[in-house]
């Protein structure tokens, strides 16, 4: 029997094309040719890496904005004259809008096109930042922060889905996700440093104005490097699913944020949490019946992908907690300046970047995620437990730096690996919503972790002062008790993450997937 002649670019029986690339169908649809689009693999290598630079810059802006304002809050409060009770809304307004709209933002990127959503998100984020920087009142600043969250929910999933569809060759993809994962993990620490510098040497408004520079650079690069066009076979929008999940995530984030200022027995706390749980459960039920689901079950039912989403959720809860409480420890207990506090996190950031790139390029292709991510969870848990030994006489080099380096090592093993596997093998039409799930997991985990840890830490401090005179020494020790409680709970989060990921991740190196032709050019 005559053997079929393999055409150029056509995969052979084991999925290998003439260029030796496995697990990829490279035939370009007619729509792509008609629009003059160039497949991502056919562009020059430098072009793809410039695209990574643009995407990474946008992601850095979104991630650091979750922490950069924290250091500026005391100055903003003094300038605008709002109360301690209202102070939380500067942070919560951003988290509520961002966390509740991420899945919708990811689906809009799939519907409209990732390039146009990416650029729109950049412009909107810059405008909102300018409004916040010039805010004459507390109300305007809160509105600006909410608008930042809205456009961030468009920008973040579009950025990650562009990365997913641009880098499809496994070796390049590993390197790209190593860099991107390091940015996502280290962005919070960079925000603390940048916020400290801007607040100390300029004023708090520049913590918002600086986004205009980031957005301008990313917009110029994106408009030149990303090719225009609409996605082929665009999915339809699931309106009921969108309403259910947006309302559910809003209630969950809002409920945990209220727990910081209200007791858990308050209806404003448990009522919103219960409503959020019911709405998210209804959303999950609806997704199994919807004709065009917002979050198709094929995206979340893969074991490696589900493990990655949970890894991002758990590590987000632990990571944002340590940034908050270690910042307070360095400034209030060791009397560091804002700039010195931010600089103290830099070694952790450096270790995280090196570990992220090394892990995704060398370790995961050989051993898979099963030993890597659980090990990262274990190292992070150990680092958190180590931080509980800090006291008022601790020094940075001997006592703070070693656990920080361990934490950078652990988080570097988690973030890049989880982000890579969370989007690996996803069809191009689902890349936006899969990317949104990664960001949603981290953001909601961070919101829940911060609120829960803050509540537990406050209770620990109050319990320590019961029966004691509130002398300066007693208050200082109470603060240490609160930090230690937060670190122990964070260690517990990571210990749970170790168990979850060691159970869910498959053994062995990631299997190659057959994915749709890249749509970076068309999106």
């Amino acid at each position: 029997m005559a053997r079929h002649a393999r055409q150029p670019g056509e995969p052979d029986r084991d999925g290998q094309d003439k260029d030796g690339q496995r697990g990829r169908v490279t035939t370009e649809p007619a729509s792509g040719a008609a629009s003059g689009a160039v497949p991502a693999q056919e562009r020059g290598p430098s072009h793809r890496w410039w695209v990574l630079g643009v995407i990474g810059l946008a992601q850095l802006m979104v991630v650091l904005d979750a922490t950069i304002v924290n250091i500026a809050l005391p100055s903003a409060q003094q300038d605008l004259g709002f109360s301690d009770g209202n102070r939380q809304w500067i942070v919560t307004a951003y988290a509520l809008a961002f966390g509740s709209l991420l899945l919708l933002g990811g689906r809009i990127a799939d519907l409209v096109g990732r390039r146009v959503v990416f650029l729109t998100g950049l412009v909107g984020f810059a405008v909102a930042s300018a409004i916040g920087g010039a805010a004459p009142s507390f109300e305007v600043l809160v509105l600006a922060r909410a608008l930042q969250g809205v456009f961030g929910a468009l920008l973040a999933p579009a950025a990650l889905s562009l990365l997913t569809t641009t880098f499809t060759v496994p070796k390049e993809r590993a390197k790209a996700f190593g860099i991107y994962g390091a940015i996502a993990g280290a962005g919070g620490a960079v925000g603390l440093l940048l916020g400290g510098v801007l607040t100390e040497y300029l004023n708090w408004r520049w913590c918002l104005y600086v986004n205009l520079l980031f957005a301008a650079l990313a917009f110029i690069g994106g408009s030149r490097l990303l090719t225009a066009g609409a996605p082929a076979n665009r999915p339809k929008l699931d309106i009921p699913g969108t309403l259910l999940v947006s309302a559910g995530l809003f209630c969950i984030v809002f409920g945990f944020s209220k727990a910081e200022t209200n007791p858990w027995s308050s209806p404003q706390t448990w009522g919103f949490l219960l409503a959020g749980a019911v709405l998210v459960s209804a959303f999950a039920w609806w997704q199994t019946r919807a004709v065009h689901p917002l979050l198709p079950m094929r995206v979340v039912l893969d074991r490696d992908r589900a493990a990655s989403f949970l890894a991002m959720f758990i590590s987000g809860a632990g990571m944002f907690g340590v940034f908050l409480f270690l910042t307070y420890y360095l400034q209030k207990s060791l009397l560091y300046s804002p700039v010195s506090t931010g600089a103290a996190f830099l070694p952790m950031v450096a270790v995280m970047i090196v570990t992220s790139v090394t892990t995704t390029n060398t370790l995961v292709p050989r051993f898979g995620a099963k030993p890597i991510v659980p090990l990262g969870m274990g190292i992070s848990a150990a680092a958190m437990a180590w931080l509980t030994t800090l006291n008022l006489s601790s020094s940075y080099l001997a006592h703070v730096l070693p656990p920080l380096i361990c934490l950078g090592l652990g988080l570097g093993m988690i973030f890049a690996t989880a982000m890579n596997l969370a989007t690996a093998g996803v069809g191009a039409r689902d890349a936006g919503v899969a990317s949104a799930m990664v960001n949603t997991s981290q953001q909601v985990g961070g919101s829940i972790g911060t609120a829960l840890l803050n509540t537990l830490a406050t209770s620990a401090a109050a319990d320590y002062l019961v029966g004691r005179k509130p002398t300066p020494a007693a208050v200082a020790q109470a603060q240490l008790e609160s930090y230690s409680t937060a670190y122990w709970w964070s260690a517990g989060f990571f210990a749970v993450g170790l168990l979850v990921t060691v159970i869910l991740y498959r053994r062995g190196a990631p299997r190659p997937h057959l994915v749709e032709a890249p749509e970076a050019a068309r999106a």
Side-chain angles (χ1 to χ4, degrees):
M1 183 171 62
R3 183 178 179 182
H4 171 70
R6 182 159 52 91
Q7 299 301 316
E10 180 185 29
D12 62 16
R13 295 182 190 178
D14 63 357
Q16 182 170 352
D17 64 17
K18 69 185 181 72
D19 297 319
Q21 302 297 338
R22 290 182 177 271
R24 205 171 69 251
V25 176
T26 58
T27 305
E28 182 69 13
S31 61
S35 64
V38 181
Q41 324 64 324
E42 295 178 11
R43 300 173 184 164
S46 60
H47 185 104
R48 287 200 296 281
W49 295 111
W50 277 109
V51 169
L52 173 62
V54 170
I55 294 170
L57 186 62
Q59 177 67 10
L60 178 63
M61 179 180 71
V62 171
V63 175
L64 66 81
D65 218 68
T67 57
I68 191 173
V69 175
N70 289 356
I71 287 183
L73 270 180
S75 299
Q77 184 176 0
Q78 183 177 0
D79 191 12
L80 299 181
F82 50 87
S83 67
D84 288 344
N86 286 331
R87 182 175 56 192
Q88 65 159 330
W89 287 105
I90 306 300
V91 176
T92 303
Y94 179 84
L96 283 173
F98 187 57
S100 61
L101 296 176
L102 271 167
L103 280 177
L104 175 60
R107 206 39 145 183
I108 289 175
D110 292 330
L111 287 164
V112 178
R114 293 169 199 111
R115 177 185 184 269
V116 66
V117 171
F118 180 80
L119 296 178
T120 301
L122 283 172
V123 172
F125 202 94
V127 171
S129 299
I131 294 172
S137 65
F138 167 75
E139 291 77 12
V140 174
L141 181 56
V142 171
L143 175 62
R145 289 287 287 166
L147 284 175
Q148 280 186 313
V150 170
F151 287 104
L154 287 176
L155 182 58
L160 183 53
S161 59
L162 280 168
L163 186 70
T164 299
T165 53
T166 298
F167 291 90
T168 57
V169 177
K171 192 171 183 179
E172 288 189 352
R173 178 184 172 88
K175 186 181 297 184
F177 270 87
I179 297 171
Y180 187 86
I183 292 172
V190 174
L192 293 174
L193 173 61
L194 188 58
V197 171
L198 294 174
T199 302
E200 190 165 328
Y201 294 108
L202 294 171
N203 62 53
W204 68 268
R205 296 182 184 274
W206 281 96
C207 290
L208 293 160
Y209 285 144
V210 71
N211 289 326
L212 274 69
L213 175 60
F214 287 133
L217 292 174
F219 184 88
I220 293 170
S223 60
R224 291 177 61 87
L225 296 171
L226 302 176
T227 309
N233 302 318
R234 66 181 66 186
K236 295 182 180 179
L237 183 61
D238 174 17
I239 301 296
T242 299
L243 295 176
L244 285 171
V245 74
S246 297
L249 291 174
F250 178 91
C251 288
I252 289 173
V253 175
F254 185 78
F256 273 103
S257 69
K258 294 300 290 183
E260 297 185 48
T261 55
N262 293 279
W264 291 99
S265 59
S266 169
Q268 293 188 33
T269 301
W270 66 259
F272 275 100
L273 292 175
L274 179 61
V278 170
L279 288 168
V280 170
S281 299
F283 167 75
W285 170 83
W286 172 252
Q287 294 309 282
T288 64
R289 288 158 175 78
V291 178
H292 302 285
L294 177 67
L295 180 61
M297 290 297 101
R298 60 181 175 269
V299 173
V300 295
L301 291 183
D302 178 83
R303 281 180 57 182
D304 285 345
R305 202 169 293 130
S308 297
F309 292 147
L310 288 172
M312 293 299 298
F313 175 84
I314 294 168
S315 56
M319 180 189 71
F320 282 107
V322 72
F323 286 162
L324 175 65
F325 292 103
L326 194 56
T327 297
Y328 273 109
Y329 168 74
L330 291 173
Q331 291 195 22
K332 292 186 175 296
S333 298
L334 299 188
L335 303 179
Y336 279 31
S337 69
V339 174
S340 298
T341 300
F345 286 95
L346 288 182
M348 185 194 77
V349 173
V351 171
M352 190 184 301
I353 292 173
V354 173
T355 305
S356 295
V357 176
T358 303
T359 298
T360 53
N361 281 278
T362 306
L363 299 180
V364 174
R366 292 186 60 188
F367 305 108
K370 194 175 187 72
I372 304 302
V373 176
L375 180 59
M377 291 285 184
I379 292 174
S380 299
M384 290 296 183
W386 197 346
L387 286 171
T388 63
T389 63
L390 298 178
N391 55 49
L392 295 175
S393 61
S394 297
S395 65
Y396 176 75
L397 289 178
H399 304 101
V400 178
L401 182 60
L404 270 184
I405 290 177
C406 283
L407 186 62
L409 179 64
L411 293 178
M413 299 174 79
I414 296 168
F415 277 111
T417 306
M419 284 187 167
N420 193 343
L421 269 69
T423 54
V426 176
R429 64 179 289 153
D430 295 327
V433 73
S435 302
M437 268 299 296
V438 176
N439 287 281
T440 300
S441 300
Q442 184 182 11
Q443 177 63 30
V444 174
S447 299
I448 291 174
T450 300
L452 183 59
L453 293 174
N454 195 49
T455 302
L456 293 167
T458 302
S459 299
D463 291 343
Y464 179 83
L465 290 173
V466 172
R468 292 183 172 91
K469 292 183 179 181
T471 62
V475 171
Q477 188 61 39
Q479 289 179 335
L480 288 179
E481 292 293 326
S482 70
Y483 305 151
S484 180
T485 299
Y487 299 148
W488 276 122
W489 277 89
S490 293
F493 292 163
F494 283 112
V496 171
L498 188 157
L499 293 175
V500 169
T501 54
V502 81
I503 291 171
L504 286 183
Y505 273 119
R506 296 187 182 96
R507 292 183 180 275
R511 300 186 183 104
H513 296 273
L514 286 175
V515 299
E516 298 174 41
E519 289 193 14
R522 297 196 304 277

